[in-house]
Amino acid sequence: MAQEGLLKTAAKMGELKSRLFFVLGALVVYRLGAHIPVPGIDPDVLAKLFESQSGGILGMFNMFSGGALSRFTVFALGIMPYISASIIMQLLAAVSPQLEQLKKEGEAGRRAITKYTRYGTVLLATFQALGIAIMLEGNLVWF
Protein backbone atom coordinates (compact mmCIF):
# COMPACT_ATOMS: atom_id res chain seq x y z
CA MET A 1 0.00 0.00 0.00
CA ALA A 2 2.74 2.46 0.93
CA GLN A 3 4.68 1.43 -2.15
CA GLU A 4 1.78 2.38 -4.45
CA GLY A 5 1.58 5.85 -2.89
CA LEU A 6 5.32 6.24 -3.33
CA LEU A 7 5.07 5.29 -7.02
CA LYS A 8 2.26 7.80 -7.59
CA THR A 9 4.30 10.52 -5.89
CA ALA A 10 7.35 9.66 -7.97
CA ALA A 11 5.28 9.77 -11.18
CA LYS A 12 3.90 13.19 -10.23
CA MET A 13 7.40 14.45 -9.48
CA GLY A 14 8.59 13.25 -12.90
CA GLU A 15 5.76 15.16 -14.58
CA LEU A 16 6.53 18.24 -12.48
CA LYS A 17 10.20 17.99 -13.39
CA SER A 18 9.44 17.78 -17.12
CA ARG A 19 7.12 20.79 -16.88
CA LEU A 20 9.75 22.80 -15.02
CA PHE A 21 12.35 21.96 -17.66
CA PHE A 22 9.92 23.03 -20.39
CA VAL A 23 9.28 26.38 -18.66
CA LEU A 24 13.00 26.95 -18.13
CA GLY A 25 13.70 26.06 -21.77
CA ALA A 26 10.99 28.47 -22.95
CA LEU A 27 12.47 31.24 -20.80
CA VAL A 28 15.94 30.62 -22.23
CA VAL A 29 14.61 30.72 -25.80
CA TYR A 30 12.69 33.93 -25.09
CA ARG A 31 15.65 35.66 -23.46
CA LEU A 32 17.92 34.66 -26.36
CA GLY A 33 15.34 35.96 -28.85
CA ALA A 34 15.06 39.18 -26.87
CA HIS A 35 18.78 39.82 -27.39
CA ILE A 36 19.20 38.79 -31.04
CA PRO A 37 18.91 41.96 -33.12
CA VAL A 38 17.14 42.09 -36.45
CA PRO A 39 19.72 42.11 -39.27
CA GLY A 40 20.41 45.42 -41.01
CA ILE A 41 19.69 47.66 -38.02
CA ASP A 42 22.19 50.33 -37.02
CA PRO A 43 22.13 50.23 -33.18
CA ASP A 44 23.59 53.73 -32.78
CA VAL A 45 20.88 55.35 -34.90
CA LEU A 46 18.20 53.31 -33.13
CA ALA A 47 19.54 54.39 -29.72
CA LYS A 48 19.36 58.06 -30.80
CA LEU A 49 15.77 57.58 -31.93
CA PHE A 50 14.71 56.07 -28.62
CA GLU A 51 16.50 58.81 -26.66
CA SER A 52 14.54 61.48 -28.52
CA GLN A 53 11.21 59.62 -28.27
CA SER A 54 11.52 58.27 -24.71
CA GLY A 55 8.44 60.00 -23.27
CA GLY A 56 6.07 59.23 -26.14
CA ILE A 57 4.17 56.26 -27.44
CA LEU A 58 7.38 54.65 -28.66
CA GLY A 59 8.73 54.61 -25.10
CA MET A 60 5.53 53.06 -23.80
CA PHE A 61 5.54 50.39 -26.50
CA ASN A 62 9.18 49.67 -25.66
CA MET A 63 8.19 49.26 -22.01
CA PHE A 64 5.50 46.71 -22.90
CA SER A 65 7.98 44.74 -25.01
CA GLY A 66 10.41 44.52 -22.10
CA GLY A 67 12.99 46.76 -23.76
CA ALA A 68 13.24 44.49 -26.79
CA LEU A 69 11.99 47.21 -29.13
CA SER A 70 14.82 49.60 -28.25
CA ARG A 71 17.24 46.85 -29.26
CA PHE A 72 14.93 45.93 -32.19
CA THR A 73 15.17 42.23 -31.47
CA VAL A 74 13.48 39.23 -33.01
CA PHE A 75 10.88 39.12 -30.19
CA ALA A 76 10.23 42.87 -30.05
CA LEU A 77 6.44 42.50 -30.19
CA GLY A 78 6.32 40.36 -27.07
CA ILE A 79 2.93 38.97 -26.10
CA MET A 80 0.89 41.97 -27.24
CA PRO A 81 -0.42 40.40 -30.50
CA TYR A 82 -1.73 37.36 -28.62
CA ILE A 83 -3.43 39.45 -25.97
CA SER A 84 -5.01 41.66 -28.64
CA ALA A 85 -6.21 38.64 -30.64
CA SER A 86 -7.64 37.06 -27.50
CA ILE A 87 -9.58 40.23 -26.65
CA ILE A 88 -10.86 40.49 -30.22
CA MET A 89 -12.03 36.86 -30.16
CA GLN A 90 -13.85 37.40 -26.86
CA LEU A 91 -15.62 40.44 -28.29
CA LEU A 92 -16.47 38.57 -31.49
CA ALA A 93 -17.85 35.64 -29.48
CA ALA A 94 -20.29 38.02 -27.81
CA VAL A 95 -21.44 39.41 -31.19
CA SER A 96 -21.20 36.50 -33.64
CA PRO A 97 -23.79 33.69 -33.36
CA GLN A 98 -21.37 31.15 -34.91
CA LEU A 99 -18.67 31.86 -32.34
CA GLU A 100 -21.28 31.90 -29.56
CA GLN A 101 -22.34 28.40 -30.66
CA LEU A 102 -18.70 27.25 -30.69
CA LYS A 103 -18.29 28.61 -27.19
CA LYS A 104 -21.21 26.48 -25.98
CA GLU A 105 -19.87 23.24 -27.53
CA GLY A 106 -17.47 22.59 -24.68
CA GLU A 107 -13.91 21.36 -25.16
CA ALA A 108 -14.09 21.05 -28.97
CA GLY A 109 -15.44 24.58 -29.30
CA ARG A 110 -12.80 25.93 -26.96
CA ARG A 111 -10.08 24.29 -29.05
CA ALA A 112 -11.53 25.81 -32.23
CA ILE A 113 -11.67 29.29 -30.66
CA THR A 114 -8.07 28.85 -29.46
CA LYS A 115 -7.04 27.90 -32.99
CA TYR A 116 -8.75 31.01 -34.40
CA THR A 117 -7.06 33.12 -31.72
CA ARG A 118 -3.65 31.79 -32.79
CA TYR A 119 -4.37 32.57 -36.44
CA GLY A 120 -5.45 36.05 -35.40
CA THR A 121 -2.22 36.40 -33.43
CA VAL A 122 -0.12 35.66 -36.50
CA LEU A 123 -2.16 38.14 -38.55
CA LEU A 124 -1.91 40.88 -35.91
CA ALA A 125 1.81 40.25 -35.36
CA THR A 126 2.40 40.59 -39.10
CA PHE A 127 0.60 43.92 -39.26
CA GLN A 128 2.21 45.23 -36.07
CA ALA A 129 5.69 44.24 -37.23
CA LEU A 130 5.10 45.89 -40.59
CA GLY A 131 3.80 49.03 -38.88
CA ILE A 132 6.80 49.21 -36.56
CA ALA A 133 9.22 48.71 -39.43
CA ILE A 134 7.57 51.46 -41.52
CA MET A 135 7.37 53.83 -38.54
CA LEU A 136 10.99 53.29 -37.56
CA GLU A 137 12.13 53.64 -41.16
CA GLY A 138 10.31 56.97 -41.40
CA ASN A 139 11.83 58.20 -38.12
CA LEU A 140 15.34 57.00 -38.89
CA VAL A 141 15.52 59.27 -41.94
CA TRP A 142 15.91 62.27 -39.63
CA PHE A 143 19.09 60.96 -37.99
Side-chain angles (χ1 to χ4, degrees):
M1 198 59 88
Q3 221 172 13
E4 289 176 12
L6 204 61
L7 289 174
K8 286 182 182 179
T9 304
K12 286 182 183 179
M13 291 302 284
E15 181 183 345
L16 179 64
K17 188 188 299 184
S18 68
R19 288 182 180 210
L20 282 174
F21 282 134
F22 175 79
V23 169
L24 289 174
L27 284 173
V28 167
V29 168
Y30 178 77
R31 290 313 304 163
L32 284 174
H35 288 286
I36 299 172
V38 173
I41 297 296
D42 185 5
D44 296 328
V45 173
L46 194 62
K48 288 180 188 176
L49 172 67
F50 275 92
E51 284 176 14
S52 68
Q53 301 286 329
S54 63
I57 190 77
L58 193 59
M60 186 186 316
F61 194 68
N62 184 42
M63 178 186 65
F64 283 125
S65 71
L69 186 61
S70 64
R71 294 184 302 270
F72 206 62
T73 63
V74 175
F75 294 158
L77 290 177
I79 197 166
M80 287 178 60
Y82 180 76
I83 292 172
S84 300
S86 179
I87 290 170
I88 290 169
M89 285 303 296
Q90 287 178 359
L91 291 174
L92 284 176
V95 176
S96 171
Q98 290 88 3
L99 287 176
E100 184 70 34
Q101 185 64 28
L102 269 178
K103 201 173 171 184
K104 292 179 182 178
E105 287 182 9
E107 183 66 26
R110 188 182 63 79
R111 275 187 265 141
I113 289 176
T114 301
K115 182 175 72 171
Y116 295 148
T117 302
R118 289 181 182 150
Y119 290 146
T121 300
V122 171
L123 188 68
L124 280 173
T126 302
F127 283 121
Q128 285 181 358
L130 183 64
I132 289 171
I134 290 171
M135 188 231 4
L136 284 177
E137 184 180 32
N139 283 336
L140 290 179
V141 170
W142 298 102
F143 289 102

